[in-house]
Amino acid sequence: MVRISQQVTDSEVDHAKRKALTSLTLELDNSHALSESIAVQLASVGRRVSPLEAFKQISQVSAADVRRAATKYIYDQEPVVVATGSQISSLPDYNQIRNYTYWKSL
């Protein structure tokens, strides 16, 4: 998790942007996916974001933007962990998860 805040590359960000744009394009052909996307947009930003606006916003994201956001929201932060179900026994200890949020310097 920490590597994203320190070392994410332009090619990794470009790959992620291509995947996001493909996903956005595919959801336009599926009424269920489109309605779910609109609901998420209304809940998160309070309005429907047009596909053109979403394409523009995604296209403008840079590796520096990703590093800045990861530093703010991931690096050396206290993660919230919630788990239910039968596989909860395989959940790592909280301290182990917390250790993933910062570089260990010796």
Side-chain angles (χ1 to χ4, degrees), residues 22-93:
T22 299
S23 176
L24 180 60
T25 302
L26 291 174
E27 80 181 17
L28 294 174
D29 288 337
N30 180 321
S31 60
H32 177 74
L34 181 58
S35 61
E36 184 177 328
S37 175
I38 292 170
V40 168
Q41 292 169 11
L42 290 173
S44 61
V45 294
R47 64 182 179 83
R48 176 159 189 235
V49 178
S50 73
L52 181 59
E53 182 182 354
F55 274 92
K56 286 180 181 178
Q57 290 176 348
I58 292 168
S59 297
Q60 292 174 350
V61 173
S62 69
D65 295 328
V66 173
R67 285 190 295 270
R68 190 172 26 263
T71 297
K72 181 176 181 179
Y73 295 107
I74 297 174
Y75 186 76
D76 203 20
Q77 297 296 315
E78 298 285 340
V80 175
V81 180
V82 177
T84 63
S86 61
Q87 297 184 357
I88 195 168
S89 61
S90 63
L91 184 70
D93 176 70

Side-chain angles (χ1 to χ4, degrees), residues 1-6 70-81 94-104:
M1 289 192 297
V2 173
R3 191 186 72 75
I4 295 170
S5 67
Q6 306 291 319
T71 297
K72 181 176 181 179
Y73 295 107
I74 297 174
Y75 186 76
D76 203 20
Q77 297 296 315
E78 298 285 340
V80 175
V81 180
Y94 179 82
N95 291 320
Q96 182 180 1
I97 296 169
R98 174 67 172 96
N99 286 338
Y100 296 148
T101 67
Y102 63 91
W103 292 114
K104 296 180 184 96

